[in-house]
Amino acid sequence: MRLCASDLGCRRGGRTVFEGISFAVEAGEALTIRGRNGAGKSSLLRLIVGLVRVGGGRLALEGGDPELSLSEQAHYLGHQDALKPSLSVGENLRFWSEYLGGLSSNAGEALTTVGLAALADFPAAYLSAGQRRRLSIARLLAVKRPIWLLDEPTSTLDTTAQEQLGGLMRAHLAGGGLILAATHSALGIDGAKELRLGEPQ
Amino acid sequence: MRLCASDLGCRRGGRTVFEGISFAVEAGEALTIRGRNGAGKSSLLRLIVGLVRVGGGRLALEGGDPELSLSEQAHYLGHQDALKPSLSVGENLRFWSEYLGGLSSNAGEALTTVGLAALADFPAAYLSAGQRRRLSIARLLAVKRPIWLLDEPTSTLDTTAQEQLGGLMRAHLAGGGLILAATHSALGIDGAKELRLGEPQ
Amino acid sequence: MSALAAMLARDLRVAVRVGGGALIGVLFFLVVVTLTPLALGPDLALLQRIGPAILWLAALLANLLALDRLFAADHEDGSLDLIMTGRAPLELVVAVKGLAQWLTTGLPLVIATPPIGLFLNLDAKAEGALVLTLLVGTPGLTFIGLIGAALAVTLRRGGLLLAVLVLPLTVPVLIFGVAAANAAVMGPVPFGTPFTILCAFTLASIVVGPFAAAAALRQEME
Amino acid sequence: MSALAAMLARDLRVAVRVGGGALIGVLFFLVVVTLTPLALGPDLALLQRIGPAILWLAALLANLLALDRLFAADHEDGSLDLIMTGRAPLELVVAVKGLAQWLTTGLPLVIATPPIGLFLNLDAKAEGALVLTLLVGTPGLTFIGLIGAALAVTLRRGGLLLAVLVLPLTVPVLIFGVAAANAAVMGPVPFGTPFTILCAFTLASIVVGPFAAAAALRQEME
Amino acid sequence: MAVIDLANPSRFLGFANRIIPWLGALTLVVFAFAISRAMNAPDDYQQGATVKIMYLHVPGAWLGMLGWGLMTMAALGTLVWRHPLADVAAKAAAPIGAAFTFICLVTGSLWGRPMWGTYWVWDARLTSVLVLFLLYLGVIALWRTVEDPSRAARAAAILTLVGALDLPIIKFSVDWWNTLHQPASVLRLGAPTIDPSILIPLLISALAFTLLFAVLLLAAMRNEILRRRVRTLRLLQASTAS
Ligand code: HEM
Ligand SMILES: Nc1ncnc2c1ncn2[C@@H]1O[C@H](COP(=O)(O)OP(=O)(O)OP(=O)(O)O)[C@@H](O)[C@H]1O
Ligand SMILES: Nc1ncnc2c1ncn2[C@@H]1O[C@H](COP(=O)(O)OP(=O)(O)OP(=O)(O)O)[C@@H](O)[C@H]1O
Ligand SMILES: [Mg+2]
Ligand SMILES: [Mg+2]
């Protein structure tokens, strides 16, 4: 499996955000996307998952499931948590596992992994910023999808949780997954490729 | 000027978030608040600024302006940016400087300092995560208030902006200000006191 | 299939939970119906004459206003982004959300009509006709409303704007609904004629609504 | 002082910008008023009889429904937190926001009444009376509505719930507004009697509304 | 036991547990007595046997208003003293008051059919009672909408205080406006103007209903306190475990 972009461009709100971006990521590889604020990191991830229109160039997934589109094989973790405050933590996660993958059996295990098992019956409204982020990460574990698109995944996580996320990402790569992550800090994966946005322009 | 808390407690949603917290911060000093996710860092800052009720203990500001309450002498920078998407960057900042301090004359200068001067006439809806955060920081500069309460101020900022924020904080301290900041990462201020929440209790 | 069932279950659950809107539509309906005689003054014959029209108008407003946050809420908390990455066809997902919405606002409205009709001095025959037309008509309103709810996502403004966009589209449902209810009571047209047209409109909107709403949601993603 | 002026300017600006709600209230009013004859059927005498009541009801709903995001929007984007740390008394800030709200929804409604009244076959005298009662009554509605808008912040649910909570409180304004309008047209009561009571209610709500709303906002901060 | 002790929820629970059975039994007895007296009361020369509806209608009306009155006092307790028991009382009283108001509305309508020829007219007394019922529904909806009970309590308290303005309107509507409904004849300044043969059974019936109100309120408050304890325990469990 190989995700490959050539000469990709993106326009938002009538302005060109970036142009001429090319990269290729193979199964088992990670790509960190870096750049100053406003360089277009979030826009690139949203473009890959199909939430922003491609403004030029080509984006292709080679060797994935041919019946599914790219966005159906990808997990997107953005700045928002997609949680309903009135549902409990467990209900929120089970809903997304059923909706995204058809199963809810892994949900309990995923909650334990991110350290939220004790809060399973707790309304999501009461979670702190980092707890919400952990719950989003549990979604990645509850449903298996090969491509992870992570937008500043470590922000608001405490150091334990950051290290744990590093471990989860390494395991995902070892299992043949792909990771693209936008970040300003270290992610804890060795040998990740790097894409710098908005440098010379 | 001295902000001093003794045996402070906080209850939210029927649960005790923390109890028995004591600290004192003098003019020119910074206090970083650390702790795992859900320890109550954000709650403590909101409590100080009067957005969450004090659940026990005492909080006092000694030597400030006696005519003003604690929250009227403090800047609160939370996870949300208090921006109206349909107003331009400049309009947003000018509004807050007039509302909070009665003047809008410093707004232009503050925008330049955080590197958003070029975007002054741009609708705030189009800002990236980090640009929104920079705009919030500009608010701290446009209106002079001695106490800064910052909730994970560096998250979503790129490295240049993080360093710049460090410089601004040092300048604020040198001018006799007080800073309380909740964070999971380094802030770039030397000699800050530290308060750890939720460790042994 | 299970993705759609999950969506239905979630939307129903959110609606009946604390903070959900399940019964609020009914309350709104009740309040509007109560206010009308207050504004009109106590004239029972008049109330009886315009009763069906008032109930239909109140049902229309309650139905549409309850819709405003259907997609906007999912947009604001980022759920919509994830919904788009699901494997179920968006049209079906939208239709399922419409169904959940109708079950939690439209249906309670229909059930509440008989007691509320008493205030307007309606007799049993008129009530029966009203309940039947509302039962058939409200799904039509909800599914037309889906279009507005989807448009409201881009416009970042629900409530009234939605109502303004969608109300003109609901005019046929309103006209034939009231006509059928009145026909049952006063004639001279037989009840069947307007009622059949009402059914046809509802069926059409159940088909068109989800497609148009899904298209609007796709456009809005940018 | 300048803090309050800044708030007024901001709220007006947000309302008239793209995505703001300035004219949507008027549109809603227009649509509701147009739908009524469609639902009632073309009976001009009837329309003339119930015209003032319909206009008042539509104005009431448009006014209240436009209010739902007044504080909730500021709460969601964190503005409310900062508003509370300002130095201006919260009651005054709330009153200023109410004023901005009335200028952008209530006043346009009053201005739109004469042309819209033509649809309902109203004569000049009735229109004059209506405009006057609406001009005096809509501020009352807005300022009572402030209480609901403030409560909506805790409820995390605007729109219909707000309407349900606030509508019972607006009953007197509605009753005396319509009564004054009707008195001007048909008698037998002189226009002055209900109109004075209407003025009194509006004044009372301009005083009570901001205090209750500010209290509600303070309570809800937690 | 001083009243101040009852303000402690645990004390209150003990008190409620002890008194509810006795009060319930007393209610049954008074009800039985009230029914027998009402059955034997003479028919009105004008209204015939329909006057018996009064023994339901009038207590319903009084207790519907009393319910909001209690909630208003509890609202002050919530806002001024932040007393948790005040929150509990306000929440428990709302559905009960709504039920009694509903009884007043229904019996009034049933009575109106023979007396006025219609179930419902829009006069000031009837309308203001209906507004009270809508206010009750609004407050109940509000309680159901907010998960955190102390926040809900404060929001509901503000609405309750504003809504209390309706009570004098109900009471004096018959004097201020010329209504179809008859003016007060029992609760008025000066002596009652009803014949004692009807008045006495009415007062006994009112006493029975008041006792019923008290029992229901105590039981609902007890349940609410227990529900809150369960909630707190669950929250505690969740927070200590994580
Ligand atoms: C749904 C319609 C009605 C409503 C909402 C209603 C409401 C009330 C209320 C609130 C009271 C308590 C007044 C107070 O304590 O001052 C009351 C008392 C009373 N009502 Fe009604 N009522 C209705 C219909 C009727 C009808 C049809 C009759 C019979 C003609 C009636 C006869 C009475 C009488 C005799 C009293 C006792 C008055 C007194 O002694 O104070 N009501 N009603
Ligand atoms: N609005 C609320 N109502 C009730 N409980 C809340 C609310 N917000 C947060 N809490 C609870 O209070 C506790 C502390 O939350 P807080 O947001 O202060 O944590 P934090 O230290 O800032 O965590 P993070 O590092 O994840 O931001 C958490 O356990 C959370 O569940
Ligand atoms: N919805 C939008 N409509 C129009 N323009 C947008 C929109 N969102 C972002 N932009 C613009 O696109 C550019 C890139 O934004 P993006 O969010 O991708 O940046 P980023 O690299 O993720 O920055 P950050 O590090 O601050 O998160 C920015 O200049 C921003 O102004
Ligand atoms: Mg970004
Ligand atoms: Mg936090």
Side-chain angles (χ1 to χ4, degrees):
Chain A
M1 192 184 256
R2 192 180 134 91
L3 179 68
C4 137
S6 56
D7 208 24
L8 220 50
C10 170
R11 290 181 60 79
R12 298 186 81 174
R15 287 197 317 156
T16 302
V17 176
F18 56 75
E19 273 177 329
I21 299 289
S22 304
F23 59 83
V25 195
E26 308 264 348
E29 276 185 347
L31 177 77
T32 55
I33 306 169
R34 293 180 180 274
R36 54 172 176 71
N37 290 140
K41 303 178 292 300
S42 305
S43 303
L44 176 58
L45 291 177
R46 290 180 73 83
L47 184 146
I48 296 173
V49 81
L51 297 171
V52 165
R53 210 178 317 281
V54 177
R58 232 175 58 85
L59 180 72
L61 181 68
E62 293 154 15
D65 186 334
E67 307 230 312
L68 297 176
S69 71
L70 169 52
S71 71
E72 287 167 358
Q73 298 178 61
H75 269 305
Y76 171 68
L77 188 135
H79 287 295
Q80 290 157 311
D81 309 285
L83 301 179
K84 291 291 165 200
S86 60
L87 299 186
S88 74
V89 169
E91 283 171 333
N92 269 298
L93 183 60
R94 276 195 300 280
F95 163 67
W96 282 120
S97 6
E98 282 172 30
Y99 182 81
L100 295 173
L103 287 169
S104 64
S105 49
N106 298 330
E109 203 183 314
L111 270 188
T112 316
T113 313
V114 299
L116 289 180
L119 297 178
D121 295 328
F122 208 62
Y126 289 1
L127 297 186
S128 76
Q131 288 166 338
R132 299 173 73 89
R133 181 52 58 101
R134 285 163 184 237
L135 187 47
S136 303
I137 292 170
R139 211 176 55 222
L140 309 181
L141 307 176
V143 178
K144 290 268 163 295
R145 290 192 169 188
I147 306 173
W148 286 8
L149 303 170
L150 315 177
D151 199 353
E152 308 194 26
T154 53
S155 77
T156 75
L157 288 182
D158 60 25
T159 34
T160 340
Q162 291 191 16
E163 280 159 23
Q164 203 187 15
L165 176 64
L168 294 173
M169 290 196 289
R170 285 191 298 272
H172 180 65
L173 294 176
L178 263 75
I179 296 180
L180 283 85
T183 183
H184 295 296
S185 55
L187 275 188
I189 349 181
D190 311 319
K193 293 186 183 176
E194 203 175 281
L195 177 70
R196 295 200 78 86
L197 285 184
E199 292 296 66
Q201 289 200 343
Chain B
M1 189 183 260
R2 188 181 137 91
L3 178 68
C4 143
S6 57
D7 209 22
L8 220 51
C10 170
R11 291 179 60 80
R12 298 187 79 173
R15 280 198 316 159
T16 302
V17 176
F18 57 75
E19 274 177 326
I21 300 288
S22 304
F23 60 83
V25 195
E26 306 265 347
E29 276 185 348
L31 178 77
T32 55
I33 304 168
R34 296 179 180 272
R36 55 171 177 72
N37 290 139
K41 303 178 291 302
S42 306
S43 302
L44 176 58
L45 291 177
R46 291 180 71 82
L47 184 146
I48 295 173
V49 79
L51 297 171
V52 164
R53 201 172 329 268
V54 177
R58 234 176 58 86
L59 179 72
L61 180 68
E62 293 153 15
D65 185 333
E67 307 229 313
L68 297 176
S69 71
L70 169 51
S71 69
E72 287 167 356
Q73 298 179 59
H75 269 304
Y76 171 69
L77 187 133
H79 287 296
Q80 290 157 311
D81 309 286
L83 302 179
K84 291 291 165 200
S86 58
L87 300 186
S88 74
V89 169
E91 282 171 333
N92 269 298
L93 183 60
R94 274 195 300 280
F95 163 67
W96 282 120
S97 5
E98 281 172 32
Y99 183 82
L100 294 174
L103 288 169
S104 65
S105 48
N106 298 331
E109 203 183 314
L111 270 188
T112 316
T113 314
V114 299
L116 289 179
L119 297 178
D121 295 329
F122 205 61
Y126 290 177
L127 295 187
S128 76
Q131 288 165 339
R132 300 173 73 87
R133 181 52 58 103
R134 286 165 183 236
L135 186 47
S136 301
I137 293 170
R139 208 177 57 221
L140 307 183
L141 307 177
V143 179
K144 289 268 162 296
R145 290 192 169 188
I147 306 173
W148 286 7
L149 304 169
L150 315 177
D151 198 352
E152 307 194 25
T154 52
S155 78
T156 75
L157 288 182
D158 61 24
T159 33
T160 340
Q162 290 191 18
E163 279 160 24
Q164 204 186 15
L165 176 64
L168 294 173
M169 289 194 288
R170 285 191 297 272
H172 180 65
L173 294 177
L178 263 74
I179 297 181
L180 284 85
T183 182
H184 295 295
S185 55
L187 274 189
I189 348 179
D190 311 319
K193 292 187 184 175
E194 203 174 280
L195 177 70
R196 296 201 78 86
L197 285 186
E199 297 290 72
Q201 292 198 339
Chain C
M1 218 35 236
S2 112
L4 296 179
M7 182 58 89
L8 183 66
R10 175 185 83 147
D11 272 20
L12 291 178
R13 211 175 263 155
V14 169
V16 299
R17 275 299 155 78
V18 201
L23 289 177
I24 296 174
V26 181
L27 278 179
F28 178 79
F29 182 60
L30 178 69
V31 172
V32 171
V33 173
T34 326
L35 284 179
T36 320
L38 288 180
L40 285 179
D43 178 342
L44 286 180
L46 177 66
L47 280 181
Q48 198 167 18
R49 156 84 179 76
I50 64 175
I54 294 194
L55 283 173
W56 254 97
L57 270 177
L60 174 67
L61 292 180
N63 233 306
L64 292 187
L65 291 169
L67 268 166
D68 71 339
R69 313 267 312 143
L70 186 64
F71 299 116
D74 277 342
H75 178 66
E76 280 162 23
D77 66 13
S79 297
L80 201 55
D81 293 348
L82 296 184
I83 287 178
M84 311 288 274
T85 70
R87 287 168 194 175
L90 191 57
E91 286 75 14
L92 286 182
V93 177
V94 167
V96 164
K97 287 184 78 76
L99 176 64
Q101 175 72 17
W102 182 74
L103 287 175
T104 51
T105 57
L107 189 59
L109 258 166
V110 176
I111 296 171
T113 301
I116 292 181
L118 281 182
F119 283 130
L120 298 180
N121 206 22
L122 296 183
D123 57 26
K125 197 167 164 202
E127 297 230 341
L130 255 172
V131 169
L132 199 61
T133 53
L134 283 175
L135 186 65
V136 171
T138 44
L141 297 178
T142 303
F143 277 84
I144 297 177
L146 287 181
I147 307 174
L151 288 174
V153 170
T154 358
L155 306 175
R156 288 157 198 274
R157 174 99 204 157
L160 292 179
L161 178 56
L162 186 148
V164 170
L165 293 177
V166 169
L167 278 177
L169 301 177
T170 59
V171 166
V173 176
L174 178 72
I175 291 183
F176 288 102
V178 179
N182 277 336
V185 188
M186 316 185 242
V189 210
F191 175 71
T193 323
F195 189 69
T196 321
I197 306 184
L198 180 66
C199 295
F201 269 115
T202 295
L203 284 180
S205 61
I206 289 180
V207 176
V208 174
F211 276 93
L217 286 180
R218 286 219 184 80
Q219 292 305 321
E220 280 158 13
M221 292 288 112
E222 195 244 3
Chain D
M1 217 36 235
S2 109
L4 296 179
M7 181 58 86
L8 184 66
R10 177 186 82 147
D11 272 19
L12 292 178
R13 210 175 263 155
V14 169
V16 299
R17 282 289 158 80
V18 196
L23 289 177
I24 295 175
V26 182
L27 281 177
F28 178 80
F29 182 61
L30 179 69
V31 172
V32 171
V33 174
T34 2
L35 282 180
T36 318
L38 291 179
L40 285 179
D43 179 340
L44 285 182
L46 178 66
L47 280 182
Q48 199 167 17
R49 155 84 179 76
I50 64 176
I54 299 280
L55 282 172
W56 253 97
L57 270 177
L60 173 66
L61 292 179
N63 235 305
L64 290 189
L65 292 168
L67 267 166
D68 70 341
R69 314 265 314 140
L70 185 63
F71 299 115
D74 277 341
H75 178 66
E76 280 162 23
D77 67 12
S79 297
L80 201 54
D81 293 349
L82 296 184
I83 288 177
M84 311 288 273
T85 69
R87 289 170 192 173
L90 191 56
E91 285 75 15
L92 286 182
V93 177
V94 166
V96 163
K97 288 186 77 78
L99 176 63
Q101 174 73 17
W102 181 75
L103 288 175
T104 51
T105 57
L107 190 59
L109 255 163
V110 177
I111 296 172
T113 301
I116 292 181
L118 289 181
F119 282 124
L120 298 179
N121 203 23
L122 297 183
D123 57 27
K125 196 168 165 204
E127 298 229 339
L130 256 172
V131 170
L132 198 60
T133 53
L134 284 174
L135 185 66
V136 171
T138 45
L141 297 178
T142 303
F143 277 83
I144 296 176
L146 286 180
I147 305 173
L151 289 175
V153 172
T154 349
L155 306 177
R156 290 155 199 273
R157 171 105 206 156
L160 291 180
L161 180 57
L162 185 149
V164 169
L165 295 180
V166 168
L167 278 176
L169 302 176
T170 59
V171 165
V173 175
L174 178 71
I175 291 182
F176 290 103
V178 179
N182 278 335
V185 187
M186 313 184 244
V189 209
F191 175 72
T193 321
F195 189 70
T196 322
I197 305 183
L198 180 67
C199 296
F201 270 115
T202 295
L203 283 180
S205 59
I206 289 180
V207 176
V208 175
F211 276 92
L217 288 178
R218 285 219 185 80
Q219 296 301 330
E220 280 158 14
M221 288 288 110
E222 206 234 358
Chain E
M1 186 189 298
V3 179
I4 207 75
D5 288 339
L6 286 179
N8 173 328
S10 311
R11 288 276 170 74
F12 177 84
L13 267 187
F15 167 76
N17 281 333
R18 257 177 290 131
I19 202 167
I20 284 176
W22 295 105
L23 209 57
L26 181 64
T27 309
L28 282 181
V29 172
V30 178
F31 252 109
F33 185 55
I35 290 173
S36 76
R37 284 304 297 263
M39 283 306 155
N40 295 327
D43 289 351
D44 190 84
Y45 71 96
Q46 226 181 359
Q47 310 186 352
T50 54
V51 75
K52 299 223 154 63
I53 296 180
M54 182 169 76
Y55 302 125
L56 280 173
H57 173 75
V58 178
W62 286 346
L63 290 169
M65 293 191 286
L66 178 78
W68 198 277
L70 281 180
M71 282 164 54
T72 308
M73 278 161 22
L76 289 176
T78 299
L79 293 179
V80 180
W81 295 286
R82 304 200 173 285
H83 202 291
L85 209 56
D87 303 3
V88 170
K91 181 171 183 187
I96 305 174
F100 280 101
T101 311
F102 188 67
I103 291 178
C104 166
L105 282 169
V106 170
T107 54
S109 307
L110 292 177
W111 201 357
R113 183 73 197 176
M115 297 316 298
W116 304 329
T118 164
Y119 288 112
W120 187 260
V121 287
W122 291 97
D123 87 356
R125 162 61 64 83
L126 274 59
T127 305
S128 51
V129 175
L130 184 62
V131 167
L132 178 67
F133 184 62
L134 293 178
L135 285 169
Y136 269 123
L137 293 186
V139 167
I140 294 171
L142 198 155
W143 275 110
R144 280 193 34 78
T145 306
V146 187
E147 206 272 346
D148 179 355
S150 56
R151 290 169 68 116
R154 282 177 258 126
I158 287 168
L159 191 68
T160 308
L161 285 183
V162 180
L165 297 176
D166 190 40
L167 290 184
I169 297 186
I170 297 182
K171 183 67 195 155
F172 298 113
S173 51
V174 280
D175 305 330
W176 292 346
W177 291 284
N178 201 353
T179 59
L180 212 51
H181 194 281
Q182 81 177 64
S185 40
V186 183
L187 293 181
R188 60 196 289 275
L189 296 175
T193 57
I194 299 188
D195 187 81
S197 65
I198 294 182
L199 178 63
I200 305 282
L202 176 62
L203 290 181
I204 295 175
S205 160
L207 178 66
F209 272 96
T210 312
L211 286 172
L212 178 64
F213 189 100
V215 174
L216 290 176
L217 184 66
L218 285 178
M221 284 175 72
R222 182 183 60 183
N223 293 348
E224 178 62 21
I225 291 176
L226 293 176
R227 202 176 303 131
R228 286 189 187 191
R229 295 218 163 148
V230 172
R231 180 176 178 278
T232 316
L233 284 179
R234 278 186 47 204
L235 290 176
L236 204 67
Q237 188 191 7
S239 66
T240 48
S242 73

